């Protein structure tokens, strides 16, 4: 299955080989089992501003810049345009609620996977739609053996967030100005998968949330795993240089 996925990826883009030098990880739902907390925070915060947002909405828009999600929801439900500054104030309330909740655990399998990648000489980067400083500090605390701050791409590094390719193109740049065929993306959300695919990077979907597998495959995932642990267990095969 893996070899076929790589073959189809190479043929689609006209690349000669997939030679991973870096793996670019999404944060929520990949590094941390944090999406249940995000869903709660989104629903409670948006309700204060008269916006109806469901848990499914939170999962479906995961990976996008928070201000972009808010502006879209306001446009759809209230029929008005708001500035990025107003959206940021609303997003700040969502962030406040999120940080009042119990800290989300590290996703099972991710540390093992990063350790294997490091041993293989493959670097690790993080590409997140978040820009919250406490979350960036937590990444450095939990994954400091594998990721430094210069390898973290946040919402503030790009003008267009996921599903646009910009975040992952910036991730390639921060990983050492790599070509798309020199990296692999690991994502759990449809918008993030679309961003990785748009950047022409081999994109692995990991279904750590409630969405159907078909949703991630329809977004363009080249390969799909049910858990981070299973991806970690397949590390030697998946991240070998083709």
């Amino acid at each position: 299955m893996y070899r076929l996925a790589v073959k189809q990826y190479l043929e689609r883009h006209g690349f000669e080989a997939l030679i991973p030098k870096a793996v670019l990880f999404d944060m929520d739902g990949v590094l941390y089992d944090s999406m249940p907390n995000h869903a709660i925070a989104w629903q409670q915060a948006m309700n204060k501003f008269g916006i109806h947002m469901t848990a499914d909405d939170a999962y479906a828009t995961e990976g996008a810049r928070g201000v972009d999600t808010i502006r879209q929801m306001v446009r759809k439900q209230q029929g008005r345009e708001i500035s990025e500054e107003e959206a940021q104030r609303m997003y700040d309330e969502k962030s406040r609620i999120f940080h009042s909740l119990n800290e989300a655990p590290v996703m099972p399998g991710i540390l093992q996977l990063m350790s294997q990648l490091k041993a293989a000489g493959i670097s690790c980067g993080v590409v997140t739609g978040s820009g919250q400083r406490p979350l960036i500090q937590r990444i450095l605390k939990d994954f400091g053996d594998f990721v430094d701050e210069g390898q973290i791409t946040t919402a503030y590094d790009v003008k267009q967030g996921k599903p646009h390719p910009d975040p992952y193109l910036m991730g390639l740049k921060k990983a050492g100005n790599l070509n798309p065929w020199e990296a692999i993306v690991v994502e759990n959300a449809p918008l993030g998968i679309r961003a990785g695919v748009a950047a022409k990077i081999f994109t692995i979907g990991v279904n750590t949330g409630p969405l159907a597998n078909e949703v991630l495959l329809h977004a363009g995932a080249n390969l799909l795993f049910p858990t981070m642990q299973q991806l970690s267990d397949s590390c030697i095969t998946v991240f070998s240089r083709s």
Side-chain angles (χ1 to χ4, degrees), residues 143-158:
F143 302 99
D145 288 342
F146 312 107
V147 180
D148 63 46
E149 189 160 1
Q151 296 168 304
I152 301 175
T153 300
T154 76
Y156 300 117
D157 288 313
V158 294

Side-chain angles (χ1 to χ4, degrees), residues 159-180:
K159 290 185 177 180
Q160 295 189 110
K162 303 172 186 178
H164 297 282
D166 307 40
Y168 281 109
L169 293 176
M170 179 61 71
L172 290 175
K173 183 177 180 180
K174 289 193 174 191
N177 291 315
L178 299 182
N179 296 298

Side-chain angles (χ1 to χ4, degrees), residues 211-236:
L211 300 177
N213 288 340
E214 289 72 20
V215 174
L216 303 186
L217 292 170
H218 182 71
N222 299 107
L223 204 60
L224 186 65
F225 285 84
T227 66
M228 286 301 302
Q229 187 62 60
Q230 290 197 29
L231 175 57
S232 179
D233 293 341
S234 303
C235 179
I236 294 176

Side-chain angles (χ1 to χ4, degrees), residues 86-101:
E86 183 178 351
Q88 183 65 54
R89 289 193 293 272
M90 296 167 71
Y91 183 65
D92 289 343
E93 175 61 12
K94 181 264 177 180
S95 298
R96 184 194 68 76
I97 295 172
F98 177 81
H99 290 293
S100 72
L101 302 173

Side-chain angles (χ1 to χ4, degrees), residues 58-229:
Y59 279 93
T61 58
E62 179 194 350
R65 296 196 317 156
V67 292
D68 292 338
T69 296
I70 290 169
R71 295 179 78 179
Q72 182 181 26
M73 297 289 286
V74 170
R75 185 183 304 117
K76 182 178 180 180
Q77 295 189 26
Q78 298 182 348
R80 64 189 183 97
E81 295 291 336
I82 61 173
S83 67
E84 186 151 337
E85 289 73 23
E86 183 178 351
Q88 183 65 54
R89 289 193 293 272
M90 296 167 71
Y91 183 65
D92 289 343
E93 175 61 12
K94 181 264 177 180
S95 298
R96 184 194 68 76
I97 295 172
F98 177 81
H99 290 293
S100 72
L101 302 173
N102 291 334
E103 192 172 69
V106 171
M107 189 67 74
I110 184 63
L111 287 169
Q112 175 187 340
L113 174 55
M114 285 188 172
S115 180
Q116 293 178 86
L117 293 173
K118 183 177 181 179
I122 299 174
S123 68
C124 297
V126 177
V127 177
T128 174
S130 174
Q132 300 173 44
R133 191 64 198 171
L135 294 179
I136 307 308
Q137 291 295 341
R138 190 180 175 201
I139 290 174
L140 297 174
K141 175 176 69 73
D142 293 335
F143 302 99
D145 288 342
F146 312 107
V147 180
D148 63 46
E149 189 160 1
Q151 296 168 304
I152 301 175
T153 300
T154 76
Y156 300 117
D157 288 313
V158 294
K159 290 185 177 180
Q160 295 189 110
K162 303 172 186 178
H164 297 282
D166 307 40
Y168 281 109
L169 293 176
M170 179 61 71
L172 290 175
K173 183 177 180 180
K174 289 193 174 191
N177 291 315
L178 299 182
N179 296 298
W181 44 267
E182 293 178 306
I184 290 176
V185 164
V186 178
E187 271 279 358
N188 74 308
L191 294 185
I193 289 171
R194 287 170 55 192
V197 171
K200 299 183 179 180
I201 306 171
F202 188 87
T203 300
I204 297 174
V206 184
N207 198 355
T208 60
L211 300 177
N213 288 340
E214 289 72 20
V215 174
L216 303 186
L217 292 170
H218 182 71
N222 299 107
L223 204 60
L224 186 65
F225 285 84
T227 66
M228 286 301 302
Q229 187 62 60

